[in-house]
Amino acid sequence: MLKRFVKDTGAATAIEYGLIVAVLSLAIVGGIGMATNSLEFLLSNNASKLQRTLNN
């Protein structure tokens, strides 16, 4: 039974896939956060330029 447990790599593979998914999820969440901040800056900057143009 112990030999079979040592030779079994299925659980290790599942754990590795789980770690890969976790790292990718963190990268995606971080990327979405950065993109949201950039988009917010872009839109607010354009809105202020438009407002200055209309006021002149």
Side-chain angles (χ1 to χ4, degrees):
M1 184 173 167
L2 184 59
K3 287 181 183 180
R4 194 170 10 131
F5 177 74
V6 171
K7 288 182 181 182
D8 185 19
T9 60
T13 303
I15 291 172
E16 290 170 356
Y17 285 142
L19 290 172
I20 290 170
V21 168
V23 169
L24 288 176
S25 299
L26 289 173
I28 290 170
V29 168
I32 289 173
M34 290 175 59
T36 302
N37 290 340
S38 297
L39 186 60
E40 183 180 342
F41 173 75
L42 177 68
L43 293 176
S44 67
N45 192 20
N46 284 338
S48 63
K49 286 181 182 178
L50 180 62
Q51 190 174 27
R52 281 184 291 190
T53 303
L54 292 176
N55 287 335
N56 288 334

